């Protein structure tokens, strides 16, 4: 059986629309459009929620028309219409969610509210090769740094998380300290290529367990950001030229090392021999390379989300929706709203008759 969904993503600063199909166990992307607002937010050094919502509203009709045109499928023929409903910027989420629910009502199609992190997780199914659960996922984005176990029944269990900044947030903040543009990840990656990753020794933040020792799979990036700030401040006070390439490379290297070391340790401890890497930071080349090398030494298989589906997009939301469609709870209530936060472990409740928000 072939199933097709129209999927919308507006949780942050990318307006995205995709039409995705599931046929004979394979996902096929019929249309995938993204309008990024990054350039506009760059002048403010980060995302301005009010601007984000307005741009989503302006760009959505145009992207919808293009996606439907290219897919060659009319809205009334899709099996469902999906939109990201949590987590994210509330005003931004509302644009996608209200558009999807309105179209669903008009065309009498089911509506599916998708958890943004489930979208990122599902981006792995858009790769040519992907493992079957159980596996461990390292989800690294602008808002989250999490280690999630996906079991045979596709249930999620969070085994590790950041206690302060997310990895992507650390990239964005350090880029700002270095005078680089937003988003910081790609800007740091670009100049880090010309720097020495061993020049500066920045700390690998750890999180203390009140019962003693450290949480082995948890992360802390705010101390790292402060260490970079102090180093820059010191060099400036000595009137030295800032070696921004070396600082960028050393920062990028320590972030990659921490992510790789803790993820592999978690996979080994949990007896999981497949590790999946998704989210915006998963596009980082140093992280991808280091993960592949170190995992090979420990005989752990690595599956990397395709580059184009690491950062926010609607194709991954479509993939998540198609997986939900084939399960028992395959429709959200039209009463389902949006929420800035909601735990991934409770994503099943997005398909409850009485929605949680
Ligand atoms: O997944 P995503 O598009 O949005 C969220 O859900 O947060 O991730 C965006 C984050 C930003 O913090 C951005 O700086 C980071 O991903 N990022 C990268 C790279 N490309 C994007 N970080 C490191 N290296 C990259 N190549
Ligand atoms: Zn995201």
């Amino acid at each position: 059986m072939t199933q097709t969904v129209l999927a919308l993503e507006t949780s942050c600063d990318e307006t995205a629309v995709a039409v995705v199909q599931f046929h004979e166990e394979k996902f096929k992307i019929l249309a995938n459009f993204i309008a990024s607002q990054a350039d506009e937010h760059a002048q403010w050094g980060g995302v301005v929620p009010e601007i984000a919502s307005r741009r989503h509203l302006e760009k959505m009709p145009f992207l919808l028309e293009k996606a439907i045109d290219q897919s060659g499928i009319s809205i009334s023929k899709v099996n469902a219409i999906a939109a990201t409903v949590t987590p994210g910027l509330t005003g931004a989420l509302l644009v996608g969610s209200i558009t999807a629910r309105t179209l669903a009502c008009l065309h009498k199609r089911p509506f599916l509210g998708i958890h943004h992190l489930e979208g990122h997780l599902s981006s792995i199914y858009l790769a040519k090769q992907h493992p079957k659960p159980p596996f461990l996922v390292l989800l690294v984005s602008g808002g989250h740094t999490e280690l999630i176990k996906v079991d045979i029944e596709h249930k999620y269990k969070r085994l590790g998380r950041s206690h302060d900044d997310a990895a992507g947030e650390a990239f964005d903040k350090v880029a700002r300290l270095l005078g680089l543009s937003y988003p910081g990840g790609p800007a740091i990656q670009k100049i880090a290529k010309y720097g020495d990753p061993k020049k500066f020794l920045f700390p690998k933040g750890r999180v203390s367990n009140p019962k003693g020792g450290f949480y082995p799979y948890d992360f802390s990036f705010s101390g790292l950001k402060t260490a970079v700030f102090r180093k820059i401040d010191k060099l400036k006070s000595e009137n030295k030229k800032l070696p921004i390439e070396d600082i960028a490379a050393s920062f990028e290297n320590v972030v990659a090392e921490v992510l790789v070391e803790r993820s592999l340790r978690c996979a080994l401890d949990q007896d999981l021999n497949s590790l999946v890497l998704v989210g915006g930071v998963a596009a980082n080349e140093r992280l991808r390379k280091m993960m592949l090398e170190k995992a090979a030494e420990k005989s752990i298989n690595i599956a990397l989300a395709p580059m184009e589906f690491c950062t926010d997009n609607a194709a991954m939301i479509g993939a998540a929706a198609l997986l939900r469609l084939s399960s028992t709870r395959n429709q959200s209530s039209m009463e389902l709203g949006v929420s800035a936060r909601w735990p991934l472990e409770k994503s099943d409740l997005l398909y409850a008759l009485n929605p949680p928000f």
Side-chain angles (χ1 to χ4, degrees), residues 94-120:
L94 270 175
V95 178
S97 147
I98 292 177
T99 308
R101 279 181 287 164
T102 308
L103 290 173
C105 280
L106 283 172
H107 296 274
K108 301 193 171 50
R109 303 282 81 203
F111 163 68
L112 286 154
I114 303 292
H115 194 292
H116 184 74
L117 299 191
E118 186 165 296
H120 275 299

Side-chain angles (χ1 to χ4, degrees), residues 14 116 120 141-143 168-169 171-172 183-186 189 279-281 283-285 310-312:
E14 329 274 0
H116 184 74
H120 275 299
S141 69
E169 203 176 346
F171 268 95
D172 295 336
Q189 171 167 301
V281 183
N284 187 268
E285 283 162 20
C310 283
T311 45
D312 289 349

Side-chain angles (χ1 to χ4, degrees), residues 150-202:
V150 181
D151 71 16
I152 300 179
E153 278 138 24
H154 272 267
K155 294 265 178 280
Y156 310 119
K157 186 169 182 209
R158 188 172 71 179
L159 301 173
R161 66 181 172 102
S162 173
H163 286 242
D164 39 58
D165 294 348
E169 203 176 346
F171 268 95
D172 295 336
K173 288 179 176 171
V174 167
R176 217 170 154 178
L177 293 175
L178 293 173
L180 302 171
S181 61
Y182 171 85
I188 287 188
Q189 171 167 301
K190 206 167 156 197
I191 65 158
K193 286 202 177 90
Y194 306 103
D196 175 3
K198 304 274 180 221
K199 178 84 183 184
F200 299 107
L201 260 188
F202 291 129

Side-chain angles (χ1 to χ4, degrees), residues 19-23 26-31 126 322:
V19 180
V20 189
Q21 209 163 59
F22 192 58
H23 176 66
K26 284 204 171 69
F27 291 92
K28 189 172 171 194
I29 298 169
L30 304 183
L126 300 174
L322 285 162

